[in-house]
Amino acid sequence: MGEKVVAGSFDLSDRGRYREKLQKCLAGLERLLAEKRFDRPKNLMGLEIELNLAGADGLPRMLNGQVLERIASRDFQTELAMFNLEVNIAPHRLGGRVFDGLAEELRTSLAYADRKAGEVDAGILMIGILPTLGRDDLVSSNLSEVDRYALLNDQIVAARGEDFRLDIDGVEHLRCTSRSIVPEAACTSVQLHLQVTPGRFADVWNAAQVASAAQIAVGANSPFLFGHELWRESRPPLFLQATDTRPPELQAQGVRPRTWFGERWVSSAYELFEENLRYFPALLPICDDEDPLEVLDAGGVPRLAELVLHNGTVYRWNRPVYDIADGVPHLRVENRVLPAGPTITDVIANAAFYYGLVRALAEEARPVWTRLPFTAAEANFDAACRYGIDARFVWPRRGRYGGVGEIDAVTLVREELLPMASSGLDAWGIEPADRDFYLGVIEERCRRRVNGASWQAATFHRALERGMDREAALAATTRRYGELMHAGEPVHTWPVGVPSAVALG
């Protein structure tokens, strides 16, 4: 949630006023859609990466304020906890050598940030969940010193009314409690934005939902939390539980969680914004002075500030975004599925796979989502998070008999989804050299059955076999990960294990 808010308390009338204002914003959005006021197609994409700060020992460093002060760039911002940063890359037009250009831009930005972090004995690490995080690192005192994070924490804690319970049963079983939402900060992600017209929005969002499971299967990079080996991509269950405003009784009643895959295919962007208002109470009932309907009557473009703020507190894995650029409103699909890392090449390969696949899926004459139940898409997402590159999916069968069948993720990606992504990148006008290089990274991960999560787990177990205790093995794995991340070769080429020169603790 990037909105600038001021910490304070709310009285009983604030939520009522905010609810009324949200309805005005929703009516304003409906008018903008009916009047076709949205921007024309520009094939624009955007990229955000959340980062960890860690020391040479592999342990987290609570220094984002000092590091940001030294970086002194608006491209870098705070995130929830003091060991987090976020880098935002300006929108780029999809086409040509955009992916190579993005890779070079990221290398330059992150190398500069890493040098600046080094001035305070920290470094930049792109990884879904830092393996060395301990429960004592994820406490309220380590929230970033920004009002909006304290306020959001207070409101979610108040809405829940009791401790948050983390219960993730994976390779091992983690059970613990937290008095704040700070465990959410363990999750560092890549967010991929795609600007779309209202008429194309539903197809692109549905396509992104379909693609999410494959994205996780090839891109999982978060197998550890609090010293436990959990799911291959542990961010989704952690994020869900760390932001869950529902006590057990409301969960039992089927009340929807704020971290949400969704429950149906959609036919318009409006449906998603309307669902967010209908199902989720306001967490930050802060009212703007603007009357969106009066602005529309005067021929202007409303900010819809309350709608935007509320939308930012509903954590869909594919989120609808309303924004204004150069005085013209536009819509984006924000894909929030992927973990950060392992390398810049891997991040860009994941992006190329996503943008190509979504384009191809959205333009199919008989789209996958007309042949795949939504519950199956959600189950695929869950399976990918649990098992990563070894997941199995339910998928529409080819041929005239139709129906769905089970297929392993690697076979599906190699035989069906990578060719689709290739044709999608062609449709975007991506240069064949970029297309083949970055999709080749995905192909090699599938061929070798390796992604960031599988490498972390294998290296950790190799360290245990060498006689390290768990804490030392996690630290050694993290240090080795950092070395290979900065070397820059994609993760499928990384040798498993830690060099014998690495200290035991």
Side-chain angles (χ1 to χ4, degrees):
M1 186 200 68
E3 294 299 308
K4 292 180 179 177
V5 299
V6 178
S9 59
F10 304 112
D11 62 35
L12 294 176
S13 62
D14 288 327
R15 295 185 189 280
R17 284 196 300 271
Y18 190 77
R19 187 177 289 111
E20 291 172 6
K21 197 69 183 295
L22 277 174
Q23 291 301 326
K24 278 193 173 184
C25 287
L26 190 63
L29 176 66
E30 188 173 30
R31 273 183 58 178
L32 285 165
L33 290 166
E35 295 169 10
K36 303 187 186 307
R37 298 277 298 278
F38 284 86
D39 204 358
R40 295 183 296 278
K42 288 186 176 177
N43 295 353
L44 286 178
M45 59 157 290
L47 177 68
E48 304 170 55
I49 307 176
E50 295 165 353
L51 308 164
N52 287 285
L53 291 173
D57 55 4
L59 301 178
R61 292 289 188 269
M62 307 297 167
L63 296 168
N64 65 359
Q66 295 94 312
V67 173
L68 284 168
E69 186 178 339
R70 284 166 171 78
I71 293 173
S73 167
R74 285 183 295 179
D75 292 343
F76 287 84
Q77 301 174 3
T78 55
E79 259 298 325
L80 183 63
M82 290 182 180
F83 61 90
N84 299 144
L85 299 176
E86 181 177 86
V87 60
N88 297 286
I89 301 300
H92 286 62
R93 191 177 301 276
L94 276 162
R97 301 299 299 272
V98 65
F99 293 121
D100 258 2
L102 277 169
E104 189 56 37
E105 193 174 332
L106 277 171
R107 285 189 190 100
T108 301
S109 293
L110 295 187
Y112 173 73
D114 191 61
R115 286 197 303 274
K116 292 299 180 182
E119 295 176 6
V120 290
D121 297 320
I124 299 292
L125 208 63
M126 286 195 302
I127 192 166
I129 297 175
L130 192 62
T132 51
L133 281 171
R135 291 183 60 186
D136 290 343
D137 297 314
L138 293 169
V139 292
S140 298
S141 58
N142 285 334
L143 278 170
S144 291
E145 294 177 352
V146 178
D147 281 346
R148 68 176 183 268
Y149 299 128
L151 183 55
L152 184 64
N153 178 69
D154 291 348
Q155 294 301 304
I156 292 179
V157 169
R160 183 171 175 86
E162 59 188 77
D163 287 352
F164 296 88
R165 287 192 281 184
L166 303 182
D167 188 343
I168 305 174
D169 193 3
V171 177
E172 298 172 316
H173 197 166
L174 171 68
R175 292 190 187 95
C176 62
T177 60
S178 172
R179 307 198 70 173
S180 74
I181 66 168
V182 185
E184 172 202 332
C187 307
T188 48
S189 309
V190 171
Q191 287 120 43
L192 301 172
H193 291 255
L194 180 61
Q195 184 177 327
V196 293
T197 60
R200 297 281 295 150
F201 184 95
D203 286 345
V204 172
W205 187 85
N206 290 337
Q209 291 284 94
V210 168
S212 294
Q215 288 180 272
I216 288 288
V218 298
N221 196 30
S222 314
F224 297 107
L225 177 66
F226 298 160
H228 290 67
E229 185 179 353
L230 301 174
W231 294 10
R232 284 302 183 247
E233 187 51 50
S234 303
R235 288 166 40 259
L238 171 59
F239 207 103
L240 185 154
Q241 294 176 25
T243 60
D244 201 345
T245 56
R246 309 167 304 162
E249 295 80 8
L250 292 185
Q251 294 179 35
Q253 292 174 35
V255 173
R256 295 158 182 85
R258 296 190 86 94
T259 299
W260 200 31
F261 187 79
E263 60 190 15
R264 64 188 177 95
W265 308 116
V266 302
S267 58
S268 72
Y270 178 87
E271 294 173 26
L272 296 176
F273 287 102
E274 189 276 333
E275 276 187 353
N276 285 355
L277 268 63
R278 180 154 41 101
Y279 295 146
F280 302 105
L283 289 177
L284 301 170
I286 302 167
C287 287
D288 189 85
D289 292 335
E290 175 189 79
D291 185 315
L293 301 182
E294 288 181 1
V295 172
L296 278 168
D297 289 340
V301 176
R303 295 187 302 274
L304 307 184
E306 292 81 7
L307 188 70
V308 169
L309 179 60
H310 182 65
N311 192 59
T313 65
V314 179
Y315 305 103
R316 294 179 183 268
W317 293 109
N318 287 290
R319 176 189 274 164
V321 176
Y322 170 89
D323 205 352
I324 300 171
D326 300 323
V328 183
H330 67 261
L331 294 172
R332 299 195 303 269
V333 173
E334 180 191 14
N335 177 260
R336 306 173 59 252
V337 165
L338 289 165
T343 67
I344 289 168
T345 296
D346 288 304
V347 168
I348 299 301
N350 290 340
F353 180 55
Y354 169 74
Y355 287 115
L357 182 57
V358 163
R359 173 79 183 249
L361 287 169
E363 293 184 349
E364 277 193 300
R366 192 177 172 217
V368 168
W369 56 89
T370 65
R371 297 174 282 138
L372 184 72
F374 192 92
T375 52
E378 185 176 18
N380 288 345
F381 179 74
D382 185 75
C385 292
R386 286 179 182 271
Y387 304 114
I389 202 88
D390 296 318
R392 295 185 64 82
F393 297 155
V394 172
W395 197 257
R397 291 193 185 96
R398 296 176 180 177
R400 60 177 171 175
Y401 296 108
V404 297
E406 194 172 271
I407 185 171
D408 67 275
V410 162
T411 300
L412 177 66
V413 171
R414 294 183 75 181
E415 295 184 359
E416 189 167 341
L417 301 187
L418 274 172
M420 291 184 76
S422 181
S423 67
L425 293 180
D426 288 342
W428 287 121
I430 300 298
E431 287 285 340
D434 265 22
R435 175 201 67 201
D436 294 345
F437 176 75
Y438 289 108
L439 293 186
V441 170
I442 305 298
E443 164 72 23
E444 282 299 299
R445 284 192 219 150
C446 290
R447 189 177 71 82
R448 304 186 193 197
R449 288 186 175 265
V450 170
N451 57 21
S454 67
W455 181 90
Q456 287 186 57
T459 296
F460 168 72
H461 287 286
R462 187 75 58 86
L464 291 179
E465 290 165 7
R466 285 181 44 197
M468 295 186 187
D469 63 32
R470 292 178 69 91
E471 188 175 329
L474 287 167
T477 298
T478 303
R479 292 193 297 269
R480 183 61 173 154
Y481 179 103
E483 293 167 4
L484 294 168
M485 184 204 85
H486 286 292
E489 292 300 315
V491 72
H492 67 263
T493 68
W494 291 8
V496 171
V498 295
S500 42
V502 174
L504 298 186

